[in-house]
């Protein structure tokens, strides 16, 4: 299944005793529709306040129902800010997390003298002008395979800090800045920690070359503070094309 959700009302993706997570809500809805317990495994966990555009989950079930039935039936029991976007049968060897060849994130940042209102919770906010060329130059220094320890949360459980950042693009769309990240995998808070550094460069507090120094330090203390989760979207995982799984949802066209 592909699932889209607003993360600002939930304590992240992963199930917790409070039950106030996206996984808890999805599994409750699936179990209600299927009339039996259904557990899920996802492509990538998201933190409190982080949104999902095409979170992919897999689950095993003995039920044989049409794809549209799973979509509409599950959505009937979901809150309005979580919705299944698509559903496909897959082989027994498929795993939402382990079969992924990469992952994508997007950060949406509003540059405005006044705080967001309509888009509150759906974008980050900065009131000082940003230098796009400086941010892109700093971003380019991170592309490639590196030890990203400087951008890693102390709570990160990844076995290795070495990841391949394949793409980090910076573009402006009216009052909004859009940052596109693609990597083999991401460390905990990696995108938000990189965003903190990019904003420091964009505001002129640091030169673009400072990003290389932060990377080389391999220390969280060398980087800027973690940026707000509001504008962070998990765009989704990347799978082999032969699986035929959708890699886009309608919400991707809604974001500037």
């Amino acid at each position: 299944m592909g699932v889209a959700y607003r993360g600002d009302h939930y304590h992240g993706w992963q199930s917790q005793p409070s039950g106030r997570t996206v996984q808890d809500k999805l599994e409750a809805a699936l179990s209600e529709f299927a009339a039996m317990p259904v557990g899920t495994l996802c492509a990538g966990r998201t933190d409190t306040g982080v949104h999902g555009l095409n979170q992919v989950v897999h689950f095993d079930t003995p039920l044989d129902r049409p794809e549209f039935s799973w979509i509409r039936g599950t959505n009937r029991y979901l809150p309005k800010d979580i919705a299944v976007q698509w559903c496909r049968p897959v082989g027994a060897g498929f795993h939402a997390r382990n079969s992924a060849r990469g992952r994508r994130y997007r950060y949406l940042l509003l540059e405005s003298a006044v705080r967001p209102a309509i888009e509150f919770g759906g974008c980050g906010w900065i009131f000082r002008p940003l230098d796009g060329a400086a941010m892109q130059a700093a971003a380019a220094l991170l592309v490639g395979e590196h030890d990203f320890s400087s951008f890693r949360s102390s709570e990160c459980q990844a076995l290795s800090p070495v990841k391949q950042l394949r793409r980090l693009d910076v573009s402006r769309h009216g009052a909004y800045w859009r940052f596109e990240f693609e990597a083999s995998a991401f460390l905990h808070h990696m995108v938000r920690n990189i965003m903190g550094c990019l904003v420091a460069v964009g505001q002129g507090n640091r030169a673009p070359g400072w990003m290389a120094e932060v990377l080389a330090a391999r220390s969280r203390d060398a980087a800027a503070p973690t940026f707000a989760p509001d504008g962070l979207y998990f765009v989704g995982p990347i799978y082999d094309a032969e699986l035929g799984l959708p890699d886009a949802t309608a919400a991707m066209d809604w974001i500037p």
Side-chain angles (χ1 to χ4, degrees), residues 13-124:
W13 166 267
Q14 190 171 16
S15 180
Q16 296 181 22
S18 68
R20 193 65 183 174
T21 72
V22 181
Q23 183 178 19
D24 288 321
K25 299 299 182 183
L26 177 63
E27 291 182 353
L30 280 168
S31 299
E32 189 73 25
F33 171 70
M36 65 176 64
V38 177
T40 62
L41 288 169
C42 73
R45 291 175 292 182
T46 52
D47 293 329
T48 299
V50 178
H51 317 292
L53 298 177
N54 190 28
Q55 171 69 272
V56 176
V57 304
H58 82 264
F59 57 91
D60 299 317
T61 177
L63 298 181
D64 184 12
R65 297 185 180 180
E67 295 171 14
F68 75 87
S69 181
W70 280 104
I71 297 169
R72 294 179 183 176
T74 305
N75 283 342
R76 176 185 175 187
Y77 298 103
L78 281 170
K80 292 183 178 180
D81 51 3
I82 306 174
V84 175
Q85 303 294 299
W86 55 265
C87 180
R88 298 283 190 279
V90 290
F94 177 83
H95 191 286
R97 182 177 298 116
N98 298 338
S99 298
R101 302 302 185 186
R103 290 164 181 80
R104 297 170 295 162
Y105 278 89
R106 176 179 298 172
Y107 198 97
L108 184 65
L109 180 63
L110 171 66
E111 179 191 310
S112 173
V114 296
R115 61 176 174 79
I118 300 298
E119 65 278 60
F120 173 74
C123 68

Side-chain angles (χ1 to χ4, degrees), residues 117-235:
I118 300 298
E119 65 278 60
F120 173 74
C123 68
W125 173 50
I126 198 78
F127 59 86
R128 294 173 181 167
L130 296 172
D131 183 334
M135 291 190 293
Q136 187 62 69
L141 297 173
L142 298 178
V143 176
E145 186 173 87
H146 305 288
D147 182 328
F148 284 95
S149 292
S150 293
F151 307 97
R152 181 183 193 176
S153 163
S154 60
E155 300 176 358
C156 184
Q157 299 177 357
L159 297 178
S160 170
V162 177
K163 304 298 176 187
Q164 183 185 50
L165 185 62
R166 299 168 182 165
R167 183 166 67 96
L168 206 181
D169 294 334
V170 181
S171 57
R172 183 156 192 172
H173 304 262
Y176 300 92
W177 292 92
R178 191 167 72 193
F179 302 79
E180 300 280 1
F181 297 78
E182 181 182 321
S184 56
F186 290 87
L187 302 169
H188 188 218
H189 284 178
M190 179 173 162
V191 173
R192 289 171 58 194
N193 290 334
I194 290 176
M195 280 300 305
C197 292
L198 288 174
V199 169
V201 170
Q203 291 182 325
N205 298 328
R206 298 283 188 171
W210 172 69
M211 190 69 85
E213 298 175 15
V214 174
L215 184 66
R218 299 181 183 178
S219 170
R220 182 71 192 93
D221 294 337
T226 306
F227 211 65
D230 305 48
L232 184 56
Y233 294 80
F234 179 45
V235 177

